[in-house]
Amino acid sequence: MSLEDSLNTPWRRIATAIYDPPKDSKLYGTVELDITKVDEYIHRKRKEGIKVTYTTVFASLMSRSIAFDVPEFNVYVTRGRIHPRESVNVMVSVLLEKTSEMSSIMVKSAHSKTMDQIVDEMRKGILESRNGQENKTMQQKDRLSSLPWPLRKWMFSLLKHVFVRWGFQWKKKGLDRNSFGSFILSNIYSLGLDHGYPALFPLSNLALVVLMGNIGKKPIVINDEIVVRKLLTLSACLDHRMVDGAHAGKLFRALKQRIQRIDELDEVPSEELKDCPFS
């Protein structure tokens, strides 16, 4: 059975008919992750001159968890059927310093790259965004925003029907099923917010949007002893047409396990890539 056939269970076929995208098909979840080892890893990498951040670490961890542990998240839905994507691409939100507005950068095939490669790619993408060289998706957003209000609403509705529900693509204009990557990752703690509940953008056709929230020390119980650990809050919004709470639980468990093996991010995951359905 192919991955696409395994994704389209009877419930998934029903869910794509029950829910509209994505106003009433949203699920929310929050988890606190012990990032003690993440801090140690970031400190070591920075001593090596590599400017690793929480965002780059979780862009890599999330991408590998989706590609190798929960491939059900790397999908889109059109014409009532769920389809797997070709690769795991992460869309990372960044703050433009000059305008204080949000933009985004794409890291393609993030699941197959080392941390050093992701850091370098994100650095270049951030510089381009802050210098006004935004990707096609963001440029399309600017064009849409310039339309008068009634036309803007009608145009958005048309785009949603053509490119999301019917599945057509217009790659030259940045309108295709991969315009927003496989998932969106945003660090809202850097904006001064402790917690947040992300929104599923209707045109994105994503199964998952993730927010990185509060980072702080808290007492937790480990081996029946109370210890102090640094915790990070992750909040996720899921499109219930494509995934459900069981998938979220599996993803968060995979993240916790991969954090314990965080040094693996320095290597290309050659063995895992052999059985991976994504390029």
Side-chain angles (χ1 to χ4, degrees), residues 96-121:
L96 300 179
E97 295 174 343
K98 293 182 180 179
T99 62
S100 296
E101 293 185 358
M102 299 300 294
S103 183
S104 61
I105 56 175
M106 180 90 74
V107 180
K108 296 183 178 180
S109 299
H111 64 296
S112 65
K113 293 178 176 176
T114 67
M115 178 53 58
D116 291 10
Q117 291 173 322
I118 290 177
V119 168
D120 186 59
E121 192 165 334

Side-chain angles (χ1 to χ4, degrees), residues 37-153:
K37 287 197 173 184
V38 174
D39 268 0
E40 294 171 354
Y41 176 79
I42 290 175
H43 180 69
R44 176 173 63 80
K45 295 295 289 184
R46 291 204 166 202
K47 286 182 67 176
E48 297 173 1
I50 309 298
K51 294 184 178 180
V52 175
T53 65
Y54 291 120
T55 302
T56 55
V57 167
F58 277 91
S60 180
L61 286 171
M62 289 289 302
S63 297
R64 293 192 182 198
S65 296
I66 289 172
F68 307 134
D69 303 311
V70 201
E72 293 90 344
F73 274 106
N74 196 31
V75 298
Y76 64 96
V77 60
T78 188
R79 300 184 184 183
R81 187 170 177 83
I82 298 170
H83 306 272
R85 299 183 186 275
E86 296 177 358
S87 183
V88 180
N89 306 332
V90 52
M91 179 77 86
V92 181
S93 299
V94 296
L95 182 66
L96 300 179
E97 295 174 343
K98 293 182 180 179
T99 62
S100 296
E101 293 185 358
M102 299 300 294
S103 183
S104 61
I105 56 175
M106 180 90 74
V107 180
K108 296 183 178 180
S109 299
H111 64 296
S112 65
K113 293 178 176 176
T114 67
M115 178 53 58
D116 291 10
Q117 291 173 322
I118 290 177
V119 168
D120 186 59
E121 192 165 334
M122 285 187 60
R123 179 186 61 82
K124 293 177 181 177
I126 290 171
L127 286 175
E128 290 176 356
S129 291
R130 289 176 177 171
N131 290 328
Q133 301 174 32
E134 295 185 329
N135 59 40
K136 290 182 179 180
T137 300
M138 300 306 292
Q139 292 171 356
Q140 195 68 31
K141 177 199 70 175
D142 292 338
R143 295 191 187 99
L144 185 60
S145 67
S146 66
L147 294 174
W149 176 78
L151 293 179
R152 189 164 64 235
K153 186 175 179 63

Side-chain angles (χ1 to χ4, degrees), residues 142-242:
D142 292 338
R143 295 191 187 99
L144 185 60
S145 67
S146 66
L147 294 174
W149 176 78
L151 293 179
R152 189 164 64 235
K153 186 175 179 63
W154 297 333
M155 180 59 70
F156 182 84
S157 179
L158 176 62
L159 291 174
K160 184 171 65 174
H161 276 81
V162 172
F163 297 106
V164 177
R165 291 185 176 176
W166 299 340
F168 292 101
Q169 300 187 82
W170 194 3
K171 293 185 178 181
K172 289 185 177 180
K173 295 296 183 180
L175 292 170
D176 62 77
R177 62 181 64 100
N178 296 309
S179 296
F180 294 86
S182 303
F183 68 99
I184 294 174
L185 176 66
S186 183
N187 184 353
I188 63 169
Y189 188 61
S190 64
L191 305 177
L193 299 172
D194 290 334
H195 302 278
Y197 296 93
L200 287 171
F201 182 49
L203 266 183
S204 68
N205 208 358
L206 297 177
L208 176 69
V209 176
V210 179
L211 298 183
M212 299 166 54
N214 180 60
I215 300 172
K217 293 182 178 180
K218 293 183 179 181
I220 61 174
V221 177
I222 298 180
N223 297 327
D224 293 329
E225 294 184 358
I226 298 176
V227 296
V228 176
R229 287 287 190 269
K230 183 177 280 189
L231 303 180
L232 177 145
T233 301
L234 276 187
S235 299
C237 185
L238 321 176
D239 190 330
H240 199 23
R241 298 173 304 157
M242 298 181 247

